[in-house]
């Protein structure tokens, strides 16, 4: 059974590359190595199946020769419909061309090997395709029929190849059934001489016979191909390339370990100094909390005045049947308007505070960053404003939820509902009286009592005019009552908002302080795990240098 693929890379080299790629996981998911993917891609590239391709005229036994290599019947039972048929053990990532047909066969010999079976080279398109892929093959089997060993098309193609490919190119003479042993030896000697004269190198040469008789050089050919499969990759730059990528990742991992080692020797007093500076920032914003409370309370006080005027206007200027019928629907509408007004106003004022807070933290960060770089030779990076802004937005949403709750506890919404309900009852009573007077006037007029009817009609209009005047007085009276109530709500709002505002300030400072806590976590992590990681990395470096010395010999 032929063995290729991973066996073509020495186990010692593969083990170092695999161990280095896996070593990155010890640093945690938060560490990204730029050379990680490059090494993994290189490992996959070096572990690609090795390719054996047949070249020759039609009906020379190309497919049967491939079958002979693994002592199985695979290629010869399928008629090639495409210029090149690629036989694989299972689907693998490989070069793709529309003129290459992929076929799969579960032969153990194909686990790490690919057979590329071609159509006759006498076809011009076959020659074109072969020139595109020939450099990507590992072993090239040139099939020559015994009665046509000097096929001009085949030898012309071989002369066009890069001479470096001749080392792994094998001549195979087929259909030698009717040739005696002495004639075969003479034929081989002539072919070796022709190869030397034509190509400048004497290619390896074997002969095969097909059918019931055992192949003449089948076992020798199989052994030679196996030898080339093992040696071929070591003649190219695969191992050197793999070692260089391994070294690049090991170097990057070593740099990270050096930084972690420096972090493990950090001065704890320096972090304490930073904590004290953050405490000072917290006191600075706590001292301005009273000003913020005043601003929020003043805004709510002014909003309640606007609420009073808007609520009064909903009653209308004159007595209206339509207004009296729909007055109970105004309370939810006015309440929603008022709460949205408060929420948006507080949100705008919170945004101003958040902007000042982020600017203050950013200025402190820019002051601390060079000191950390000097003290620990560690760069904490740019200020993570997006991360802090996300936390501030959360506290802003909490505040926008808290204020409507406080206003609801104060009783503004029930007060509005009660006011509209009482006014609706009064307005309905006046409208009933107005309509009753008109009806009575109409009845007396129809009975011939015109004077009495006119008096009732005039009385109804007098009631309507007086009621409308009273409504305007009620609007003014209600607005004054709400404005007087707004004076009482100001200290209540300051008392109720003090706790949420203080919590928002301390939580924001805590989030900023946590940015430095992450550095402490790295210190603790480095202290606990740095020593074994350094030892493991040094061990891998020692093994890598040993393999590099072996390759340089």
């Amino acid at each position: 059974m032929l063995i290729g693929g991973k066996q073509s890379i020495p186990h010692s080299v593969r083990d170092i590359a695999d161990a280095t790629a896996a070593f990155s996981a010890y640093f945690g998911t938060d560490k990204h190595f730029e050379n990680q993917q490059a090494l993994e891609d290189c490992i996959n590239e070096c572990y690609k199946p090795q390719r054996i391709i047949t070249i020759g005229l039609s009906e020379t036994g190309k497919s049967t020769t491939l079958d002979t290599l693994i002592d199985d019947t695979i290629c010869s039972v399928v008629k090639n419909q495409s210029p090149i048929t690629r036989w694989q053990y299972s689907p693998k990532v490989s070069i793709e061309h529309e003129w290459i047909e992929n076929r799969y066969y579960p032969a153990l010999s194909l686990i790490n090997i690919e057979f590329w079976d071609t159509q006759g080279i006498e076809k011009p398109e076959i020659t074109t395709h072969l020139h595109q892929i020939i450099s990507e093959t590992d072993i090239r089997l040139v099939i020559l029929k015994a009665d046509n060993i000097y096929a001009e098309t085949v030898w012309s193609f071989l002369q066009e190849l890069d001479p470096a490919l001749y080392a792994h190119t094998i001549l195979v003479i087929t259909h030698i059934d009717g040739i005696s042993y002495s004639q075969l030896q003479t034929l081989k000697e002539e072919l070796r001489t022709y190869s030397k004269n034509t190509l400048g190198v004497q290619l390896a040469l074997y002969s095969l016979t097909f059918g019931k008789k055992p192949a003449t050089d089948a076992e020798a050919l199989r052994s030679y191909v196996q030898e080339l499969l093992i040696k071929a990759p070591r003649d190219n730059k695969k191992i050197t390339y793999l070692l260089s990528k391994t070294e690049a990742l090991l170097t990057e991992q070593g740099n990270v370990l050096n930084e972690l080692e420096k972090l493990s020797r950090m001065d704890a007093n320096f972090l304490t100094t930073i904590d004290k500076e953050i405490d000072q920032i917290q006191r600075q914003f706590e001292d301005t909390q009273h000003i913020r409370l005043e601003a929020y309370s003043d805004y709510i006080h002014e909003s309640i005045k606007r609420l009073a005027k808007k609520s009064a206007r909903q009653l209308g200027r004159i007595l209206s049947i339509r207004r009296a019928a729909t007055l109970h629907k105004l309370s939810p509408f006015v309440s929603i308007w008022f709460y949205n007004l408060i929420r948006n106003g507080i949100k705008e004022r919170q945004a101003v505070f958040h902007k000042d807070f982020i600017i203050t933290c950013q200025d402190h960060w820019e002051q601390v960053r060079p000191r950390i770089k000097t003290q620990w030779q560690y760069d904490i990076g740019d200020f993570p404003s997006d991360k802090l802004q996300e936390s501030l937005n959360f506290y802003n949403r909490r505040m926008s939820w808290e204020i409507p709750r406080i206003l609801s506890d104060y009783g503004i919404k029930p007060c509005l509902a009660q006011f509209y309900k009482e006014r609706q009852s009064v307005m309905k009573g006046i409208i009933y009286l107005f309509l009753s007077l008109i009806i009575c006037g109409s009845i007396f007029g129809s009975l011939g009592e015109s004077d009495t009817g006119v008096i009732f009609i005039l009385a109804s209009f007098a009631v309507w005019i007086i009621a409308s005047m009273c409504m305007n007085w009620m609007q003014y009276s209600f607005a004054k009552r709400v404005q007087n109530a707004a004076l009482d709500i100001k200290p209540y709002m300051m008392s109720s908002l003090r706790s949420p505002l203080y919590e928002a300030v301390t939580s924001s400072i805590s989030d900023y302080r946590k940015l430095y806590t992450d550095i402490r976590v790295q210190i603790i992590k480095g202290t606990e795990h740095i020593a074994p990681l350094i030892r493991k990395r040094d061990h891998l470096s020692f093994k890598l240098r040993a393999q590099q010395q072996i390759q340089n010999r």
Side-chain angles (χ1 to χ4, degrees):
M1 184 179 71
L2 296 180
I3 299 176
K6 291 186 178 182
Q7 299 296 334
S8 63
I9 302 295
H11 284 284
S12 54
V13 176
R14 292 207 322 270
D15 292 343
I16 295 173
D18 291 336
T20 302
F23 185 52
S24 299
Y26 289 90
F27 292 83
T29 56
D30 57 331
K31 291 294 182 184
H32 173 71
F33 296 100
E34 294 182 357
N35 292 295
Q36 179 73 29
Q37 189 61 45
L39 177 59
E40 292 177 358
D41 293 342
C42 182
I43 291 174
N44 293 332
E45 178 68 23
C46 291
Y47 291 175
K48 279 186 176 179
Q50 292 174 282
R51 295 155 179 164
I52 301 175
I53 190 171
T54 57
I55 303 169
L57 300 176
S58 300
E59 305 299 329
T60 56
K62 298 186 296 297
S63 302
T64 310
T65 300
L66 291 176
D67 288 347
T68 302
L69 288 179
I70 59 175
D71 196 19
D72 198 352
T73 303
I74 299 175
C75 307
S76 59
V77 297
V78 176
K79 184 174 179 59
N80 293 345
Q81 300 296 330
S82 301
I84 297 177
T85 302
R86 179 171 56 198
W87 288 91
Q88 299 171 300
Y89 180 80
S90 59
K92 305 179 182 71
V93 177
S94 185
I95 61 171
E96 295 296 337
H97 297 287
E98 65 278 3
W99 35 267
I100 294 181
E101 179 183 2
N102 291 315
R103 290 183 176 273
Y104 312 105
Y105 189 83
L108 296 180
S109 295
L110 290 177
I111 289 181
N112 298 311
I113 297 175
E114 289 182 357
F115 280 170
W116 289 29
D117 196 6
T118 65
Q119 292 183 353
I121 199 174
E122 70 275 6
K123 301 177 182 178
E125 65 272 15
I126 300 299
T127 304
T128 302
H129 297 330
L130 284 174
H131 278 301
Q132 290 182 252
I133 64 170
I134 195 68
S135 61
E136 301 174 23
T137 59
D138 296 278
I139 297 178
R140 291 151 292 280
L141 300 177
V142 182
I143 313 301
L144 299 170
K145 203 171 182 180
D147 57 0
N148 190 18
I149 61 174
Y150 304 116
E152 182 179 355
T153 306
V154 176
W155 289 100
S156 297
F157 175 78
L158 292 177
Q159 286 179 309
E160 296 171 359
L161 295 182
D162 183 352
L165 299 177
Y166 294 154
H168 292 170
T169 300
I170 305 172
L171 299 177
V172 180
I173 305 176
T174 60
H175 296 84
I176 59 173
D177 305 62
I179 301 176
S180 65
Y181 177 79
S182 59
Q183 290 175 328
L184 177 60
Q185 297 307 313
T186 302
L187 190 64
K188 285 184 177 182
E189 191 62 32
E190 292 177 358
L191 194 55
R192 291 189 181 98
T193 304
Y194 187 78
S195 172
K196 180 69 174 178
N197 296 335
T198 306
L199 306 177
V201 62
Q202 184 173 302
L203 300 181
L205 176 61
Y206 293 88
S207 60
L208 293 178
T209 182
F210 308 129
K212 297 182 180 180
K213 296 172 61 177
T216 306
D217 294 332
E219 189 60 37
L221 175 62
R222 192 179 298 117
S223 300
Y224 184 65
V225 168
Q226 179 63 77
E227 182 180 352
L228 292 182
L229 287 175
I230 296 175
K231 291 183 177 181
R234 301 183 186 183
D235 294 336
N236 58 30
K237 299 180 180 179
K238 282 186 178 180
I239 298 177
T240 304
Y241 184 63
L242 181 60
L243 290 175
S244 66
K245 291 299 180 182
T246 304
E247 183 180 14
L249 181 56
L250 268 178
T251 302
E252 189 177 2
Q253 292 168 344
N255 293 336
V256 173
L257 285 174
N258 290 336
E259 290 184 4
L260 291 176
E261 187 178 18
K262 292 174 183 177
L263 288 173
S264 66
R265 296 195 301 265
M266 284 182 179
D267 183 6
N269 293 329
F270 189 72
L271 288 176
T272 303
T273 302
I274 296 177
D275 276 339
K276 291 180 179 179
E277 294 172 358
I278 297 177
D279 291 339
Q280 186 176 355
I281 295 176
Q282 181 173 349
R283 287 192 295 271
Q284 172 187 339
F285 283 97
E286 287 177 353
D287 292 340
T288 62
Q289 183 177 352
H290 183 75
I291 299 175
R292 292 178 62 200
L293 283 172
E294 286 279 359
Y296 290 169
S297 300
D298 289 341
Y299 174 73
I300 294 174
H301 178 250
E302 294 300 322
S303 299
I304 291 178
K305 289 183 178 180
R306 293 177 61 184
L307 172 67
K309 295 178 182 179
K310 187 175 184 65
S311 301
R313 285 198 299 268
Q314 301 304 316
L315 295 174
R317 296 293 182 183
I318 59 176
L319 186 64
S320 169
I321 297 177
R322 177 178 174 274
R323 179 65 69 180
T326 60
L327 197 59
H328 66 282
K329 299 180 180 180
L330 296 178
S331 177
F333 164 74
V334 176
S335 298
I336 293 173
W337 170 84
F338 176 66
Y339 287 141
N340 289 335
L341 178 68
I342 295 293
R343 184 181 291 108
N344 294 334
I346 296 299
K347 186 176 180 180
E348 293 176 0
R349 285 157 178 77
Q350 282 285 91
V352 174
F353 165 74
H354 290 168
K355 183 178 179 181
D356 294 340
F357 178 76
I358 288 182
I359 291 175
T360 302
C361 293
Q362 187 171 6
D363 291 342
H364 178 254
W365 183 278
E366 295 302 330
Q367 294 174 10
V368 171
R369 183 179 180 182
R371 290 155 51 193
I372 291 179
K373 198 168 185 178
T374 303
Q375 178 78 11
W376 301 328
Q377 297 182 355
Y378 180 78
D379 190 1
I380 60 177
D382 296 328
F383 178 67
S385 57
D386 294 341
K387 186 175 182 180
L388 196 59
Q389 182 65 53
E390 185 178 351
S391 300
L392 293 175
N393 291 338
F394 171 74
Y395 302 128
N396 191 27
R397 290 192 297 270
R398 287 186 59 184
M399 183 64 67
S400 65
W401 300 333
E402 189 71 16
I403 290 178
R405 184 190 65 78
I406 296 173
L407 292 172
S408 178
D409 293 343
Y410 190 74
I412 289 182
K413 187 173 181 179
C415 178
L416 285 176
Q418 183 65 26
F419 169 75
Y420 285 125
K421 183 177 180 180
E422 292 176 354
R423 295 303 177 270
Q424 187 180 35
S425 300
V426 173
M427 290 172 67
K428 285 183 177 180
I430 295 174
I431 290 173
Y432 289 152
L433 177 60
F434 171 73
L435 294 176
S436 299
L437 291 174
I438 290 179
I439 292 173
C440 289
S442 301
I443 293 173
F444 278 108
S446 63
L447 296 176
E449 299 291 336
S450 301
D451 294 339
T452 305
V454 170
I455 292 172
F456 274 98
I457 296 296
L458 292 176
S460 66
F461 280 102
V463 169
W464 181 77
I465 293 172
I466 293 171
S468 297
M469 294 175 62
C470 291
M471 283 182 60
N472 285 276
W473 169 254
M474 284 190 294
Q475 290 179 9
Y476 174 78
S477 175
F478 175 72
K480 293 295 291 184
R481 285 169 55 190
V482 174
Q483 290 176 8
N484 291 334
L487 298 176
D488 298 333
I489 200 175
K490 185 174 180 179
Y492 175 78
M493 292 300 299
M494 290 187 66
S495 174
S496 301
L497 287 177
R498 183 172 286 105
S499 178
L501 276 177
Y502 179 79
E503 181 182 352
V505 171
T506 55
S507 300
S508 302
I509 292 292
S510 176
D511 289 336
Y512 178 63
R513 195 188 306 272
K514 187 178 181 298
L515 300 178
Y516 296 94
T517 304
D518 293 340
I519 300 177
R520 286 194 183 90
V521 172
Q522 293 185 35
I523 298 172
I524 296 173
K525 180 179 178 180
T527 303
E528 293 179 351
H529 303 289
I530 191 68
L533 288 179
I534 291 177
R535 288 195 298 269
K536 185 174 181 63
R537 190 262 174 189
D538 291 343
H539 180 64
L540 288 174
S541 297
F542 174 79
K543 294 173 65 175
L544 176 64
R545 287 193 298 271
Q547 288 300 321
Q548 288 175 330
Q549 291 175 0
I550 293 174
Q551 295 304 316
N552 292 332
R553 289 176 184 174

